[in-house]
Amino acid sequence: MNAPCTQHHSLNAPENLGDPTTFQRLLDEETVPVPEFLRPAPPAGLGDADMAVSRYFSADFHKQEMDKMWPRVWQFVARDEAIPDAGDHVVHDIGDHSVIVMRGDDGVVRAFANSCLHRGIALRPTGGNVNQLRCPFHGFTWDLAGAMKSLPCAWDFKHFGRDRQDLPQVRVETWAGFIFINFDKNAAPLVDWLGVLPEHCADYGLERATTIVHVRKRIPCNWKLAQEAFFESFHVRATHPHILTFTDDVDSQYDLYGDNLARCITPMSIASPNLDGVTQTEVMHDCIAASGRMADGDGDAHTLPAGMTARQYVGEMNRAAYAAASGVDLSHATLAELQDAILYSVFPHFQIWAGYFGNIVYRAMPDGHNPESCIYDVMVLGRHKAHEPRPAAVPVHWLSDDEPFSSAPELGALGPVLDQDMRNLPHMTRGLKASMTGVVTLASYQELRIRAHHHTLDKYLAD
């Protein structure tokens, strides 16, 4: 049966487990040069102060975010391949803002306020493809660059000057095929916002990536809770016990790079120190079968050669498959970059698993003005060869509120893992409201990405 091994393993007492230097020791065993950016970037100056529980459900706090933070940050909207042709567009909603992100006849991606300049009706209810933007109420029409084409009864609008007739635009910038918008015309460029992320990902071919999985679902929790569910790995023992045989959870490395960028690196194809007695064969089998990110998902189809570790085998399996898929020589790639969970988070709501293939992207968006609901996206990126045309992105698979992620077959082994995370979140809100201390207490190291996220958020709310 192609499933994680069910052999019983004794659990070690959790109190004294965890060694954040483990990943660096694994890097020292690499047989190829190790990129300097995989070395630690120690955090400093965050402190250990508790946080008020109301940050996760207060309507007033949510309003402050909407008024002071969201209009001033770079927001991830879509992948470039989701709107490949002229007239292709997506509608991006955040609070009361609605934006049409559209590719023009000239190939340029622009973002327009989703509001008719006549009486304000939304021009587009959803994404799709059009050859113009036409108001459904009175027929005012704009071209794909936002210039007015048709003004009905123009004789009656002499006061509507030509300088007012084009659709207002929102800033749009891209990195490696990711499209971002910002309502703040004075904000620093996206490349500054991303910090060292483009440099760290320069060799991963993300500009040749294409979306092979895109699943979206409404989650009954605050958007920050959904983001933070993936900000640390030491929840694995309690939430994802079935992946302990190949996930070195409490030995993860955590790094910070200024206000907007943070990282967690969790070694894979290594048994968790929470378990005793896991064999290398089990590690190999379970990592292939249950991780959802490796080049193959059939653990039963592989036999671990004598003298080879599971980490070496899975890494070399991925090296061969990823090189074939991308048409790129990966002989220089580290085992870490070929399999480990190297997860970057960009403030406020964008996360990406770095590496040469199978990059998972997460995004949590507030669900209108409801502080206890969010829209959650999970994407998986593949690659195409440089000389081949870019495949179109798969359509978004919207799950109903009652459908689990495991009902989306394209997610494979990721679906059940996501469901385990999502099952915690409604109980998070309930428990936060029931708190008699009124505060959340965070770990100093393993939850530093959560603390950093709130430190940055507070800087916007303080202005």
Side-chain angles (χ1 to χ4, degrees):
M1 181 175 65
N2 185 31
C5 295
T6 55
Q7 176 183 343
H8 175 73
H9 296 285
S10 60
L11 276 170
N12 294 317
E15 285 76 13
N16 296 315
L17 299 179
D19 180 0
T21 68
T22 294
F23 178 67
Q24 292 303 309
R25 292 201 302 272
L26 291 171
L27 291 183
D28 292 341
E29 298 172 2
E30 295 278 359
T31 59
V32 298
V34 174
E36 186 60 32
F37 63 77
L38 291 177
R39 299 303 180 184
L46 291 179
D48 292 311
D50 292 336
M51 299 189 314
V53 297
S54 58
R55 300 172 75 91
Y56 295 104
F57 55 79
S58 162
D60 179 66
F61 194 88
H62 188 75
K63 185 177 187 305
Q64 290 187 60
E65 292 176 342
M66 288 298 182
D67 292 345
K68 297 182 178 182
M69 185 271 286
W70 284 106
R72 299 165 58 195
V73 297
W74 285 103
Q75 304 175 34
F76 168 54
V77 173
R79 283 285 303 174
D80 187 70
E81 67 270 14
I83 51 172
D85 301 319
D88 286 344
H89 63 282
V90 296
V91 174
H92 179 79
D93 295 324
I94 177 72
D96 289 331
H97 294 284
S98 183
V99 178
I100 304 167
V101 180
M102 171 177 284
R103 189 174 301 279
D105 292 313
D106 54 2
V108 175
V109 176
R110 300 176 179 86
F112 308 111
N114 189 14
S115 176
C116 178
L117 296 180
H118 175 213
R119 286 171 60 182
I121 191 171
L123 296 172
R124 293 295 300 161
T126 61
N129 180 275
V130 294
N131 58 17
Q132 61 185 5
L133 288 169
R134 184 177 184 276
C135 165
F137 196 178
H138 295 89
F140 286 61
T141 306
W142 291 265
D143 67 20
L144 300 184
M148 178 165 278
K149 289 179 60 178
S150 175
L151 175 58
C153 297
W155 60 267
D156 208 15
F157 286 89
K158 292 184 173 60
H159 56 289
F160 190 33
R162 186 69 191 87
D163 60 335
R164 297 172 51 204
Q165 292 178 15
D166 292 349
L167 292 175
Q169 294 192 32
V170 176
R171 285 181 65 183
V172 178
E173 294 185 21
T174 63
W175 163 69
F178 296 97
I179 302 171
F180 289 77
I181 66 166
N182 196 323
F183 293 97
D184 184 358
K185 297 186 181 301
N186 299 314
L190 174 63
V191 67
D192 294 345
W193 187 267
L194 297 174
V196 298
L197 182 61
E199 175 189 348
H200 287 197
C201 294
D203 197 45
Y204 298 149
L206 291 173
E207 69 283 354
R208 289 184 291 101
T210 189
T211 308
I212 58 177
V213 174
H214 191 171
V215 181
R216 179 178 294 161
K217 180 176 169 61
R218 179 173 282 104
I219 308 297
C221 72
N222 185 268
W223 69 275
K224 297 186 294 297
L225 288 178
Q227 282 289 101
E228 294 164 11
F230 302 92
F231 274 11
E232 45 79 15
S233 293
F234 89 101
H235 69 280
V236 167
R237 174 175 173 141
T239 302
H240 311 297
H242 76 286
I243 69 173
L244 288 173
T245 53
F246 60 89
T247 304
D248 195 3
D249 53 338
V250 291
D251 289 343
S252 298
Q253 173 180 303
Y254 296 86
D255 303 301
L256 289 183
Y257 303 93
D259 284 346
N260 297 328
L261 187 66
R263 181 177 72 181
C264 170
I265 303 179
T266 301
M268 305 295 284
S269 303
I270 302 285
S272 168
N274 280 287
L275 296 182
D276 272 338
V278 184
T279 68
Q280 287 295 297
T281 295
E282 288 176 274
V283 174
M284 178 207 68
H285 174 279
D286 291 6
C287 188
I288 294 172
S291 72
R293 292 183 60 245
M294 302 306 155
D296 189 9
D298 187 355
D300 293 337
H302 296 264
T303 300
L304 185 65
M308 198 173 197
T309 66
R311 184 171 176 83
Q312 291 168 333
Y313 183 86
V314 173
E316 295 305 328
M317 175 191 73
N318 288 346
R319 188 192 309 276
Y322 298 166
S326 64
V328 175
D329 179 11
L330 295 181
S331 59
H332 65 287
T334 61
L335 295 177
E337 296 167 286
L338 291 164
Q339 65 192 303
D340 289 340
I342 306 174
L343 179 56
Y344 289 84
S345 54
V346 179
F347 186 83
H349 72 150
F350 174 71
Q351 297 189 67
I352 181 169
W353 295 54
Y356 288 97
F357 206 81
N359 311 91
I360 306 172
V361 176
Y362 303 130
R363 182 186 69 169
M365 292 289 295
D367 186 11
H369 293 288
N370 184 353
E372 297 178 32
S373 181
C374 69
I375 307 298
Y376 203 77
D377 288 83
V378 179
M379 306 166 67
V380 181
L381 306 182
R383 296 291 185 281
H384 65 90
K385 295 182 174 67
H387 63 277
E388 295 178 349
R390 179 180 60 185
V394 297
V396 180
H397 182 177
W398 259 99
L399 297 177
S400 71
D401 292 356
D402 296 330
E403 288 182 290
F405 278 104
S406 54
S407 69
E410 63 269 37
L411 285 170
L414 290 176
V417 176
L418 289 166
D419 287 336
Q420 290 170 334
D421 289 306
M422 298 304 150
R423 278 195 288 271
N424 286 335
L425 296 180
H427 302 293
M428 289 284 294
T429 303
R430 180 182 182 185
L432 288 163
K433 288 183 173 182
S435 170
M436 297 183 69
T437 66
V439 296
V440 171
T441 300
L442 299 174
S444 298
Y445 181 70
Q446 293 183 93
E447 292 179 316
L448 64 88
R449 293 173 72 206
I450 299 176
R451 190 180 302 281
H453 193 241
H454 287 264
H455 270 238
T456 300
L457 173 58
D458 284 345
K459 291 181 180 181
Y460 286 92
L461 302 190
D463 288 350

